[in-house]
Amino acid sequence: MKDMNELVKAYLTIRNERERIESEYKDRDMQLKADMAVLEQEMLSGCNEMKVESLRTDSGTVIKSLKERYTCADRDNFNKFVLETGAVELFAAHLHQSNFKEFMSERHHEGLPPGVNVMREFTITVKKPTVR
């Protein structure tokens, strides 16, 4: 029979090492994400200055796009609106983004429903160059 104390000791040593490595990874990954965000803002500024939606370079292609997210500022008011209109497909634990976007595309002239905000931000996508 194996020595349970040694098995537990080995197990805890491995678990502790995994936790240490994971912590280092998360710290480094957070810094890399922050560095990428700075570069994305620079590329967005460059696209805006050049008045372009995309830009091909030898290193890759920059694509400027608009990301929309709908949030509910007044849940009670919004719930009332959904029940009155029967648009229950808008319900989820959060606003269902694609359903809500489709709903708004059909009713854009009516404006946003009560209790809903829209946040829009331009984002940058970088793609590797295509092989020719």
Side-chain angles (χ1 to χ4, degrees):
M1 183 166 164
K2 304 273 185 195
D3 180 355
M4 291 301 277
N5 185 56
E6 289 301 315
L7 293 173
V8 169
K9 184 177 176 182
Y11 182 90
L12 291 175
T13 299
I14 292 169
R15 186 174 71 186
N16 291 340
E17 180 64 9
R18 287 187 69 231
E19 288 172 356
R20 185 189 67 76
I21 290 169
E22 182 181 30
S23 176
E24 287 177 7
Y25 162 79
K26 285 180 180 178
D27 291 344
R28 180 70 177 131
D29 188 50
M30 196 165 45
Q31 181 59 53
L32 292 172
K33 285 179 183 178
D35 293 346
M36 287 174 65
V38 169
L39 295 170
E40 288 167 2
Q41 286 304 308
E42 289 292 324
M43 289 184 277
L44 179 57
S45 293
C47 286
N48 289 339
E49 287 172 17
M50 291 182 268
K51 296 179 178 22
V52 297
E53 300 300 310
S54 65
L55 179 68
R56 181 175 290 194
T57 72
D58 291 341
S59 299
T61 302
V62 175
I63 302 165
K64 175 182 154 183
S65 58
L66 179 63
K67 185 182 350 178
E68 292 182 328
R69 288 200 46 84
Y70 299 95
T71 61
C72 188
D74 181 349
R75 193 68 171 187
D76 291 337
N77 209 4
F78 179 68
N79 289 347
K80 182 180 172 189
F81 168 81
V82 169
L83 295 174
E84 287 172 358
T85 61
V88 294
E89 70 275 8
L90 302 180
F91 276 134
H94 55 277
L95 294 181
H96 193 286
Q97 297 300 306
S98 57
N99 286 352
F100 199 90
K101 191 171 191 171
E102 182 179 333
F103 177 85
M104 287 306 300
S105 71
E106 297 166 1
R107 296 171 178 82
H108 61 88
H109 58 283
E110 296 174 16
L112 290 171
V116 175
N117 296 326
V118 63
M119 294 183 302
R120 293 183 174 105
E121 68 178 344
F122 285 103
T123 61
I124 291 295
T125 303
V126 177
K127 294 186 176 183
K128 295 177 184 177
T130 55
V131 178
R132 295 179 190 186

